[in-house]
């Protein structure tokens, strides 16, 4: 496997990227490589994945997010869609980043072998665009419930244009009670951002 098998497209927030992953097809179907530590490190994505999580959302218009884990349990994650389609959202919450408070969005689907790399210091969330959507999250820190935070998905300060009207959205109780964006403050002031970096200071 060579670096050329992966295509990295930087997003408009520093260190965040779309990752086009190699998919090999034959008469049986296909085989995909989602992540490779050495290759990702050579491309500047400095992280070691430790845990995988999977969510299955029954209805289109289901929102999961915006979530983060606070330091010292901050997570980088690689997000892939296994079935269905999502509107994926990243918000830069690193005070020392030129993108602080800005967001970017990506549409991911199961037919396209592309994931999104979410660095530490970002809020992340998504809205399902199809029923029975399955999302795989590969993360570099285990779940830490005491440091897990939900920020209001539709906080007007963030200005995210979601595809569904709020009246059509399905949310968990945690996400209904999401905190305002302003509460994030300097939570991630220890996260270093810069070209090719995704490290704890």
């Amino acid at each position: 496997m060579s670096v050329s098998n992966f295509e990295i497209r930087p997003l408009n927030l520093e260190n965040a990227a779309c990752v086009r992953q190699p998919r090999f097809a034959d008469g049986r179907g296909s085989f995909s490589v989602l992540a490779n530590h050495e290759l990702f490190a050579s491309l500047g994505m400095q992280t070691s994945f430790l845990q995988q999580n999977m969510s299955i959302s029954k209805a289109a218009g289901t929102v999961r997010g915006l979530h983060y884990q606070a330091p010292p349990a901050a997570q980088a994650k690689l997000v892939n869609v296994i079935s269905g389609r999502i509107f994926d959202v990243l918000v830069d919450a690193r005070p020392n980043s030129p993108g602080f408070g800005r967001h970017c969005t990506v549409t991911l689907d199961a037919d396209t072998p592309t994931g999104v790399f979410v660095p530490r210091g970002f809020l992340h969330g998504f809205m399902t665009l199809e029923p029975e959507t399955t999302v795989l999250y590969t993360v570099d820190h285990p779940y830490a419930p005491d440091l897990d935070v939900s920020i209001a998905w539709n906080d007007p300060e963030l200005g995210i244009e979601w595809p569904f009207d709020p009246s059509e959205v399905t949310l968990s109780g945690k996400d209904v009670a999401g905190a305002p964006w302003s509460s994030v403050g300097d939570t991630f002031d220890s996260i270093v951002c810069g070209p090719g970096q995704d490290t704890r200071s």
Side-chain angles (χ1 to χ4, degrees):
M1 181 81 55
S2 69
V3 173
S4 62
N5 289 114
F6 285 84
E7 297 176 23
I8 307 299
R9 178 172 64 85
L11 296 173
N12 63 358
L13 297 174
E14 198 164 24
N15 304 124
C18 275
V19 182
R20 181 137 182 132
Q21 298 143 323
R23 178 177 289 180
F24 307 97
D26 60 23
R28 301 167 298 171
S30 65
F31 172 83
S32 296
V33 179
L34 301 184
N36 180 293
H37 173 72
E38 290 183 3
L39 293 180
F40 278 18
S42 73
L43 294 166
M45 298 158 65
Q46 301 288 344
T47 189
S48 296
F49 293 122
L50 298 178
Q51 179 173 312
Q52 283 193 317
N53 308 313
M54 187 175 73
S55 68
I56 301 173
S57 301
K58 295 180 179 180
T62 298
V63 172
R64 295 178 184 265
L66 300 161
H67 299 154
Y68 71 83
Q69 283 193 176
Q75 291 178 323
K77 62 184 70 171
L78 183 66
V79 181
N80 283 94
V81 174
I82 305 304
S83 65
R85 191 163 56 101
I86 66 171
F87 176 81
D88 202 55
V89 179
L90 294 76
V91 180
D92 193 341
R94 301 168 298 181
N96 65 343
S97 167
F100 179 71
R102 290 171 42 215
H103 69 275
C104 62
T105 65
V106 180
T107 299
L108 299 175
D109 63 72
D111 295 327
T112 306
T114 299
V116 167
F117 178 72
V118 184
R120 301 183 195 102
F122 277 66
L123 314 184
H124 175 258
F126 65 85
M127 175 183 282
T128 58
L129 301 177
E130 296 179 5
E132 300 299 335
T133 290
T134 302
V135 177
L136 183 71
Y137 323 73
T138 307
V139 300
D140 71 346
H141 197 288
Y143 176 55
D146 293 342
L147 296 171
D148 180 47
V149 179
S150 178
I151 297 298
W153 67 283
N154 59 350
D155 189 309
E157 285 193 49
L158 295 174
I160 301 167
E161 296 183 7
W162 295 88
F164 281 47
D165 185 272
S167 64
E168 303 174 299
V169 166
T170 301
L171 295 162
S172 68
K174 179 179 81 171
D175 291 340
V176 168
W181 157 250
S182 59
S183 69
V184 177
D186 61 358
T187 297
F188 293 108
D189 63 356
S190 64
I191 302 293
V192 176
C193 69
Q197 295 188 39
D198 180 39
T199 57
R200 306 175 205 272
S201 61

